[in-house]
Amino acid sequence: MPLYPRFAAHIDAALDALTASGDLPAGLARGAVTVEPPRDASHGDLATNAAMVLAKPAGTNPRALAEKIAAELAKVDQVAAVAVAGPGFINLTLTDATWRSELAAIVDGGDVYGRSTKGQGQTVNIEYVSANPTGPMHMGHCRGAVVGDALASLLEWGGATVIREYYVNDAGGQVDVLARSAHLRYREALGEAVGEIPEGLYPGDYLIPVGQALAQEFGDKYAAAPESEWVVLFRTTAVAAMMALIKADLALLGIHHDLFSSEAALQAAKKPEAAEAELRARGLVYDGVLEAPKGETPEDWEPVELPLFRSSQFGDDQDRPIKKSNGSWTYFGADLAYHWQKAQTADALIDIWGADHAGTVKRIVAAVQALTEGRTRFDVKLVQMVRLLRGGEPVKMSKRAGNFVTLADVVREVGKDVVRFTMLTRKADAQMDFDFAKVVEASKDNPVFYVQYAHARIASLGRRAAEAGITCGAADLSLLDTEDLALVKLAAQFPRVVETAAAAREPHRIAFYLYDLAAEFHAAWNVGNDWPERRFVLTDNHDLTCARLFLGRAIGQIIRNGLAIMGVEAVEEMK
C-alpha cells in the first residue's frame, strides 16, 4: 500500500482507538478526513484535518481532540514526531527509514506504482471528440481529444473500467451538405469544370478522393440525376470516408475509441421515441407552447404546441422541446436518447465538449438526471479553443482543409508527444495558445521539454556509471541523506495525485505534478555542478553512487508512469 493511504489507515486506527476508549462517539462520518502534505514543508511531512472536521459532531474542542489523536499517532513506529498546530491541525514528521522504504516500494512497484483500486467495480463512459463527420480533424478538436483520452487513462489508473466513445453525428443537415459537396467532386472527377466551390458546401480538397472513388464506381450514372436518387448513397459513402480520415488523424495522436455510436442508427432504432415514452410515463414530457422569444418578437413567430421536457424541474432555465414543429427530433431530443442509451451500460458518464456548447449543459444534465432517476453521475467538461501561433503570430489556415489547420499537419510538424503534453499544461476550461516555436523550445519555460529532459538525464546516469566502471547490486539506501530523501517525499505523492486527479476528473494535474517533480530533480542535479559531493555518479564512492542511482531510477519510474497516463512516451535522450 502506498504511503498516503497507509497513513490514512493509521489515522483511522487512531480514531478507532479513541472511539473504543469513549473519547469519540461511535458512528462519526469520516469522509472529510484527509491526509496530505502540509502547505509549508517546515511543518512536517504529512498533515491531517481529522480533529478539525470531527470535533464539532463529536461535541468537543478541536485542539483537545487533536492532542488525543496525536498521542495515538505517536505510537506508530514510522512517525518520528507529531505536532498540533493552530486550532487543531496535526502535522507528522516521518522517519528517514519510512522514506527509504517508500523509495524501494516505487522501484518494486514499477509500471503499476500509483495505480489505485478505489474506482474498481465502476464503469465510466467517456464521450470525446465526436466531431461532425464532414472533414479531417482540426486543432479545435485536438484539445478535447487529448483531454478525453488522458482522462480515460487516468480513470483506468484509478481502478475504473472505461468505455471510450465517439458519437457520430450522421443524421443532421450537415451530412446532407457533405453529400452535395461529394457530388460536386464526383462531377469534377468525371471531367466537369466546377469552378469555385459554391458557398454553403465544404470546400476542402479532402473530398476530391471521395469524388474520384464515386466516379470510378458509378461512372456518370448520378451526374445529372435528381438529388433524391443519390443523396443517401453519397451521404453514406462520404461519411464512411470522413470517419476513416478522422480515425487516421486520431491515430496520429495515439487515440483509439472503443465504440462509435451513430446518431442515424439511434434514430432508426426508435431510441428517441422510447425515451419520450419513458419520460411521458413519469410526467416529465408534456405537450405545451414555448414562451415567445425575449425582446422584440419576430414577425414570423407563432405559438406552436410541441412536446416539452420539464428540464426546469432539474435546474434548467426553462422547459425544452424535444421535437420540432415538422415532427423531426431536435438536437436535444436525439441527444437525450443517446445519453439514456449510454447510461444503460455505465455507472457514470462524462462528456468532453467545446466551450461553445456551454449553453446546453444544463438541459442535458437535467435530462440524464431525469432518465436515470439520479443514479448515474454525469459530468460535462468544457474545453476552450486553442489559438495557433508561430513566433507570436497567428498561423495561416490550411488550403487543403479549406478553412482550418489540420490536426495531422500539427502532429507531423512537432510530434504526438509535444501536442499531447502541451494540451494538458493548462486546465481544460482555460484559454490556450499553442505556439509552434515555444512548444519545441529547449527551456525551463517549456514543460514538455523540461519533463522529458529530466527523464533523459536520469537515463544518462546508467551510461555515466558504466563509463566510470561502476556496476551496482543491492543498493544501501541508508546512505541517502535528508537532501536525497526530499526527492522521495515528492515522488511518494504520485499515487495521491492520481487519486485526487481522477476524483476531480482533471488530467492536467498530472502534467503539473510532473513539472514540479522534474524541477526538483533538475535542482538536485544542478547542486552537483557546484558541490561535486552531491552528484549522482561519484567515481570515488561506489556505494553512494549506487544508492543515488536507485533514487534516480525511482524518479524516472514516476515520470514514466505519469507520462503513460498522459499518453506521452518518455525519452532516453534529447536530440
Side-chain angles (χ1 to χ4, degrees):
M1 182 185 294
L3 185 136
Y4 281 84
R6 190 162 74 245
F7 272 85
H10 287 317
I11 292 165
D12 254 348
L15 297 175
D16 287 343
L18 293 178
T19 302
S21 66
D23 291 296
L24 274 178
L28 290 180
R30 300 178 186 177
V33 174
T34 62
V35 55
E36 57 191 8
R39 292 181 181 177
D40 186 340
S42 66
H43 292 168
D45 298 323
L46 303 178
T48 179
N49 64 350
M52 300 291 291
V53 300
L54 295 179
K56 186 174 181 179
T60 187
N61 176 275
R63 190 168 179 98
L65 177 57
E67 295 288 356
K68 293 177 181 178
I69 297 172
E72 292 295 326
L73 292 173
K75 300 173 185 177
V76 177
D77 59 9
Q78 296 171 351
V79 174
V82 188
V84 176
F89 290 104
I90 303 169
N91 296 319
L92 307 176
T93 300
L94 309 186
T95 64
D96 285 353
T98 300
W99 293 114
R100 294 184 183 111
S101 174
E102 192 64 20
L103 173 60
I106 293 171
V107 173
D108 288 344
D111 293 343
V112 301
Y113 183 82
R115 287 189 179 271
S116 169
T117 59
K118 199 164 187 178
Q120 262 184 358
Q122 184 182 52
T123 298
V124 182
N125 178 297
I126 304 183
E127 183 226 320
Y128 56 107
V129 188
S130 297
N132 288 336
T134 55
M137 301 289 295
H138 58 69
M139 282 301 285
H141 304 126
C142 178
R143 195 175 183 190
V146 172
V147 169
D149 203 55
L151 178 54
S153 179
L154 174 62
L155 293 176
E156 286 174 335
W157 272 71
T161 298
V162 176
I163 301 169
R164 294 165 166 85
E165 185 160 351
Y166 187 117
Y167 185 42
V168 184
N169 299 118
D170 55 356
Q174 78 279 354
V175 288
D176 286 335
V177 174
L178 177 69
R180 296 183 192 109
S181 304
H183 188 263
L184 186 74
R185 294 299 191 179
Y186 158 73
R187 286 159 35 211
E188 181 182 43
L190 292 171
E192 182 179 336
V194 298
E196 286 288 320
I197 305 299
E199 188 156 345
L201 298 185
Y202 296 111
D205 292 349
Y206 56 84
L207 282 172
I208 292 176
V210 179
Q212 290 171 340
L214 287 165
Q216 186 173 359
E217 183 173 356
F218 299 109
D220 63 359
K221 179 178 179 180
Y222 298 110
E227 182 176 301
S228 58
E229 291 186 14
W230 53 259
V231 68
V232 174
L233 172 63
F234 277 50
R235 182 172 62 210
T236 303
T237 302
V239 167
M242 293 306 97
M243 286 308 302
L245 190 60
I246 286 169
K247 290 177 183 180
D249 287 347
L250 290 172
L252 292 175
L253 273 178
I255 294 174
H256 305 275
H257 289 80
D258 302 312
L259 184 61
F260 289 84
S261 293
S262 160
E263 182 183 359
L266 183 90
Q267 294 195 26
K270 304 294 184 183
K271 293 297 179 70
E273 286 87 347
E276 179 185 4
E278 176 75 17
L279 291 171
R280 279 189 184 275
R282 297 189 208 161
L284 294 173
V285 164
Y286 66 99
D287 294 320
V289 178
L290 288 175
E291 295 179 9
K294 293 180 180 178
E296 187 175 343
T297 304
E299 289 183 8
D300 60 349
W301 185 86
E302 53 185 61
V304 179
E305 188 174 73
L306 299 170
L308 303 178
F309 167 60
R310 297 185 190 275
S311 53
S312 58
Q313 288 190 12
F314 301 89
D316 197 2
D317 304 325
Q318 63 184 69
D319 294 344
R320 303 289 177 175
I322 61 173
K323 278 185 178 178
K324 301 175 185 176
S325 57
N326 63 6
S328 65
W329 295 100
T330 62
Y331 185 85
F332 171 65
D335 215 27
L336 180 151
Y338 167 58
H339 283 80
W340 192 31
Q341 174 176 278
K342 290 196 291 185
Q344 311 305 309
T345 59
D347 306 300
L349 307 179
I350 302 172
D351 286 359
I352 310 296
W353 288 0
D356 56 329
H357 288 78
T360 63
V361 171
K362 278 186 179 179
R363 70 192 69 168
I364 196 62
V365 168
V368 173
Q369 187 178 352
L371 282 164
T372 66
E373 298 180 289
R375 292 187 301 271
T376 302
R377 176 180 173 181
F378 177 42
D379 294 320
V380 177
K381 293 293 182 183
L382 296 176
V383 179
Q384 287 287 352
M385 293 288 285
V386 178
R387 189 170 66 140
L388 289 178
L389 306 170
R390 192 180 295 278
E393 296 295 323
V395 174
K396 293 180 180 179
M397 299 296 100
S398 163
K399 291 181 181 178
R400 184 179 74 83
N403 58 355
F404 53 80
V405 177
T406 67
L407 181 152
D409 288 342
V410 175
V411 174
R412 289 185 181 114
E413 179 170 341
V414 302
K416 168 184 77 75
D417 292 337
V418 168
V419 173
R420 288 192 66 122
F421 197 112
T422 303
M423 292 298 116
L424 295 169
T425 54
R426 299 200 71 184
K427 288 185 67 173
D429 60 359
Q431 293 284 347
M432 170 177 281
D433 286 348
F434 185 99
D435 193 313
F436 284 88
K438 294 289 185 183
V439 298
V440 295
E441 190 177 80
S443 78
K444 180 181 179 181
D445 295 329
N446 178 9
V448 186
F449 167 80
Y450 202 53
V451 172
Q452 291 281 32
Y453 188 34
H455 188 270
R457 273 183 158 176
I458 290 167
S460 75
L461 292 174
R463 297 191 295 270
R464 291 181 180 218
E467 290 168 4
I470 298 174
T471 56
C472 297
D476 182 359
L477 301 184
S478 68
L479 298 174
L480 298 176
D481 60 20
T482 301
E483 290 182 61
D484 295 317
L485 295 178
L487 271 172
V488 183
K489 293 179 182 182
L490 184 53
Q493 291 183 32
F494 180 64
R496 176 181 169 273
V497 171
V498 170
E499 202 166 273
T500 56
R505 315 296 209 225
E506 293 185 338
H508 70 271
R509 295 190 186 197
I510 303 298
F512 288 10
Y513 167 79
L514 291 181
Y515 184 87
D516 290 342
L517 182 61
E520 287 291 319
F521 175 79
H522 287 307
W525 181 286
N526 293 335
V527 167
N529 293 332
D530 298 324
W531 304 92
E533 66 273 17
R534 299 303 314 172
R535 291 175 181 167
F536 282 81
V537 177
L538 303 168
T539 55
D540 59 348
N541 193 330
H542 173 276
D543 291 347
L544 182 54
T545 294
C546 290
R548 286 186 178 158
L549 289 179
F550 192 93
L551 171 62
R553 184 178 164 193
I555 304 305
Q557 185 67 65
I558 297 294
I559 292 174
R560 285 194 299 280
N561 290 0
L563 290 177
I565 293 173
M566 298 170 68
V568 176
E569 295 178 20
V571 300
E572 300 288 314
E573 293 182 78
M574 301 297 289
K575 298 178 181 178

